[in-house]
């Protein structure tokens, strides 16, 4: 929104703007075009920064500083995403390589522009000229954020220190890109005989590529997790787990150590005791001590539950060894946990995952999910025919508001694995929903990228229930991207505090544990029959299965992340093994290096992985106190408000942890939310 009082013609009052229904993204760029467009984008963007930086200090206005910077950010963000997103999804290795190089070059440029002391001083001068009423709330927040980011980049420090910080930030960007690239490009596979894959269903085995008489298993999720859950041959699980947690070990372990050291160095230059404290200043938690206290408190609450569950897993292993004539060593290994946790679901809750997935064919799940979200948010989705996309598997949908008919945005679905593709599940914001320079509103565009099992000639893609949960969660991020209303690109979509960003999607996960939505998202892939009520009831009761072990593992990962970013000289692999043994009672497999495969550590979650558990406190409170009670959800205002203020407005009070503890099996009384 343009500032009020300075440029009346630029002011757009709430709801008065029109939405520009244009998707400006292109996916047919060649490596040469990507390179040329990067150079042009850098030149055009630098001109705006040069112009702002050259203003006389007494001539600065909201229009020639804030609006100029906001306008160029919109254009830069769209173009940048178009150039660096292909590294995660393109089927062309050459395009992925060009996109990765573009990301590196643009990341270095980002550092250069974020370190423009001349621009920073113009914003300082503007703040000094304005009184409290000169700007609307979001414009003031934008100005304050620019000033805070300037200080966090050291622009108030001596020139030599600024140059040192700039150099560190450029190296951090390049190292992070390489860390992720190594994981995306990993093509490790193992080959096993059909006998070595005992316990896996025929539809899974028949879908595998053959290497002579052997079956090829990659380390992509649709191969790895089903095998770890169902294969009864421990040697197969052991070989696979060792390979999975040894991916990119040599190159990424070296990168991670450099990243940790450089982050600590930069934070020290900026006056912070640790990198965690530097990062957390911008989050709800605010300090490493508060995060450590939160994690330790939760670990203690879960300790006895985890011990009970571990004892059950050991009992199951002992019975399994007796049944199959194997030696029982009295221990749980890293390759045992998923297998015996699946047995808990099947034996204690009578949930047969192989039977259950037959009711979750991809097309049925997708249609049910889309119908639920349309109803939930008052939206309409339309498949865009013959849309220009980056791969034939990808689909594009347009989203309109049911009440007004206005265009809200578009989203892409890219759901199946392929070589070189991003290996996890995530939502990518591609075109921010915010105001354009002429005051009209740019529609938001996002992509959901996942790696679910591909359909075969014999069967459609069949999803495990936890994959349905992942689908619902990530699509929640897509809706957050599209529905959030902000005037500035900086606050659009999921640009909220990192330890809150997961809360809306986590709240929406609850839907895949409720009877009505499950019925709407399921149908047997052969007969078309609904899930039997008995199976549905068993599934819903199984939600608390293994909750102690699962959440203790999340605490291990969060503590590893905090440890390496608060203490010096730690070896990440050794720290992971120590914490895994201490908290889970299950050591890391010798020779593996899980942190070298932990993409979050280089993907923007450094010192912030705790946020998954932290935000769950809020997601459960929102779900049980408002949504479960009233069946409503109001639109979210993006990052134009602090997360704490959004929560207070939504709940009508301060957040409480009771619903969170109840969801972990740690409260025996009904939630008083």
């Amino acid at each position: 929104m343009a500032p009020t009082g300075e440029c009346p013609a630029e002011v757009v009052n709430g709801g008065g703007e029109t939405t520009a229904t244009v998707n400006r993204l292109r996916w047919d760029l060649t490596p040469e075009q990507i390179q040329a467009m990067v150079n042009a984008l850098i030149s055009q963007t630098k001109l705006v920064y040069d112009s702002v930086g050259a203003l006389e200090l007494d001539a600065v206005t909201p229009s020639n500083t804030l609006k100029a910077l906001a306008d160029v950010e919109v254009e830069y963000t769209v173009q940048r995403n178009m150039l660096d997103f292909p590294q995660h999804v393109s089927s062309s290795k050459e395009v992925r390589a060009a996109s990765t190089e573009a990301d590196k070059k643009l990341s270095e440029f980002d550092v250069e522009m974020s370190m423009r002391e001349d621009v920073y001083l113009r914003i300082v001068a503007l703040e000094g000229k304005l009184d409290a009423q000169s700007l609307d709330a979001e414009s003031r927040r934008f100005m304050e954020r620019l000033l805070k980011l300037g200080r966090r980049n050291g622009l108030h420090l001596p020139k030599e220190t600024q140059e040192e910080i700039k150099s560190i930030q450029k190296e951090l960007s390049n190292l992070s890109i390489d860390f992720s690239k190594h994981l995306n490009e990993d093509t490790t596979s193992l080959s096993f005989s059909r006998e070595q894959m005992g316990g896996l269903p025929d539809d899974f085995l028949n879908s595998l590529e053959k290497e002579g008489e052997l079956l090829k298993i990659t380390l992509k999720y649709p191969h790895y997790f089903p095998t770890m859950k169902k294969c009864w041959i421990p040697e197969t699980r052991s070989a696979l787990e060792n390979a999975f947690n040894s991916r990119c070990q040599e190159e990424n372990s070296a990168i991670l150590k450099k990243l940790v050291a450089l982050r600590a160095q930069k934070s020290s230059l900026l006056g912070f005791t640790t990198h965690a404290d530097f990062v957390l200043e911008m989050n709800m938690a605010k300090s490493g001590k508060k995060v450590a206290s939160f994690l330790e408190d939760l670990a203690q609450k879960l300790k006895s539950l985890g011990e009970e569950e571990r004892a059950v897993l050991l009992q199951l292993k002992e019975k399994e060894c007796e049944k199959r004539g194997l030696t029982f060593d009295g221990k749980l290994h890293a390759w045992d946990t998923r297998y015996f946790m699946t047995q808990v679901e099947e034996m204690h809750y009578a949930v047969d995952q192989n039977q259950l997935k037959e009711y979750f064919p991809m097309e049925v799940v997708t249609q049910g999910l889309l119908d639920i979200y349309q109803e939930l948010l008052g939206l309409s989705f339309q498949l865009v025919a013959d849309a220009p996309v980056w791969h034939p598997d990808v689909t594009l949908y347009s989203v309109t508001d049911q009440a007004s008919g206005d265009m809200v945005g578009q989203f892409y679905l890219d759901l199946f694995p392929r070589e070189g593709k991003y290996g996890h599940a995530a939502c990518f914001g591609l075109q921010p929903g915010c105001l354009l320079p002429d005051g009209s509103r740019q529609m938001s565009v996002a992509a959901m990228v996942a790696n679910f099992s591909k359909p075969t000639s014999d069967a459609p893609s069949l999803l495990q229930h936890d994959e349905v949960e992942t689908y619902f969660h990530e699509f929640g991020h897509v809706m957050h991207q599209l529905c959030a209303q902000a005037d500035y690109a900086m606050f659009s979509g999921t640009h909220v505090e990192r330890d809150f960003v997961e809360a809306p999607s986590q709240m929406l996960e609850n839907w895949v544990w409720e009877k009505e939505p499950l019925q709407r998202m399921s149908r047997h892939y052969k007969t078309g029959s609904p899930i039997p009520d008995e199976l549905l009831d068993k599934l819903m009761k199984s939600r608390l299965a293994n909750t102690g072990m699962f959440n203790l593992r999340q605490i291990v990962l969060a503590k590893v992340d905090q440890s390496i970013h608060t203490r010096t000289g730690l070896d990440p692999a050794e720290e992971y093994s120590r914490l895994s043994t201490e908290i889970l009672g299950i050591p890391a497999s010798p020779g593996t290096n899980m942190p070298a495969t932990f993409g979050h550590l280089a993907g923007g979650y450094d010192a912030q992985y705790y946020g998954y558990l932290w935000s769950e406190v809020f997601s459960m409170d929102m779900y049980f106190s408002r949504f479960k009670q009233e069946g409503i959800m109001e639109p979210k205002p993006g990052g134009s408000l602090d997360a704490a203020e959004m929560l207070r407005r939504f709940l009508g009070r301060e957040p409480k942890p009771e619903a969170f503890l109840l969801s972990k099996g740690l409260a025996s009384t009904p939630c008083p939310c």
Side-chain angles (χ1 to χ4, degrees), residues 296-400:
E296 189 55 36
D297 180 57
L298 185 55
Q300 289 305 313
K301 285 186 167 80
L302 288 165
K303 186 177 181 182
S304 61
L305 182 59
E307 288 170 351
E308 289 170 21
E309 291 177 1
R310 191 161 51 248
V312 169
L313 297 181
L314 270 172
Q315 287 171 6
L316 289 171
K317 182 175 179 179
E318 187 174 12
K319 287 179 185 174
E320 174 95 0
C321 289
E322 188 179 326
K323 174 183 173 183
R324 303 198 183 278
L326 304 170
T327 303
F328 176 59
D329 59 6
K331 299 174 184 175
L332 281 175
H333 302 287
W335 60 85
D336 288 329
T337 50
R338 290 187 190 276
Y339 179 71
F340 291 107
M341 285 165 80
T342 302
Q343 282 198 11
V344 168
E345 294 173 8
E346 295 183 348
M347 298 174 73
H348 290 218
Y349 294 90
V351 176
D352 183 337
Q353 295 292 346
N354 283 338
Q355 179 194 2
L356 190 61
K357 76 176 185 180
E358 294 182 358
Y359 290 92
F360 291 122
M362 172 65 80
E363 287 187 11
V364 174
V365 173
T366 298
Q367 191 56 56
L369 176 147
L370 296 180
D371 287 347
I372 288 167
Y373 271 102
Q374 287 174 95
E375 187 177 310
L376 187 61
L377 299 174
L379 301 172
S380 293
F381 302 156
Q382 291 291 327
L383 180 66
V384 179
D386 302 319
V389 292
W390 53 87
H391 189 272
D393 288 346
V394 180
T395 52
L396 176 66
Y397 288 81
S398 284
V399 181
T400 54

Side-chain angles (χ1 to χ4, degrees), residues 29 31 34 63 97 108 112 151 209 232 283 317 328 336 349 387 398 448 472 486 515 529 620 662:
L29 299 174
I34 289 173
S63 182
E108 290 201 2
E112 290 283 352
R151 289 191 292 274
E209 190 179 322
W232 64 53
N283 283 5
K317 182 175 179 179
F328 176 59
D336 288 329
Y349 294 90
S398 284
M448 178 182 161
F472 218 81
K515 191 168 187 176
S529 59
M620 287 300 174
L662 181 72

Side-chain angles (χ1 to χ4, degrees), residues 449-465:
V449 177
N451 288 273
F452 300 128
S453 302
K454 287 197 78 162
T456 66
S457 56
D458 301 321
S461 171
L462 299 175
L463 302 187
Q464 302 272 354
H465 179 258

Side-chain angles (χ1 to χ4, degrees), residues 131-189:
D131 60 50
Q133 308 306 316
S134 300
L135 297 174
D136 62 88
E138 193 173 334
S139 297
R140 177 160 289 280
R141 180 175 164 82
F142 179 61
M143 180 176 70
E144 290 168 353
R145 180 64 59 87
L146 292 176
L147 291 169
K148 185 154 194 171
L149 291 174
R151 289 191 292 274
R152 285 172 61 78
N153 285 322
L155 297 183
H156 59 300
L157 298 175
K159 262 280 185 231
E160 316 82 72
T161 309
Q162 289 183 35
E163 288 302 316
E164 194 173 352
I165 291 170
K166 185 192 294 186
S167 173
I168 290 170
Q169 295 206 130
K170 286 183 179 180
E171 191 172 358
L172 284 171
S173 293
N174 286 329
L175 289 170
S176 296
I177 292 165
D178 284 340
F179 190 100
S180 299
K181 178 189 175 186
H182 293 152
L183 290 172
N184 286 352
E185 297 287 345
D186 181 73
T187 56
T188 304
S189 66

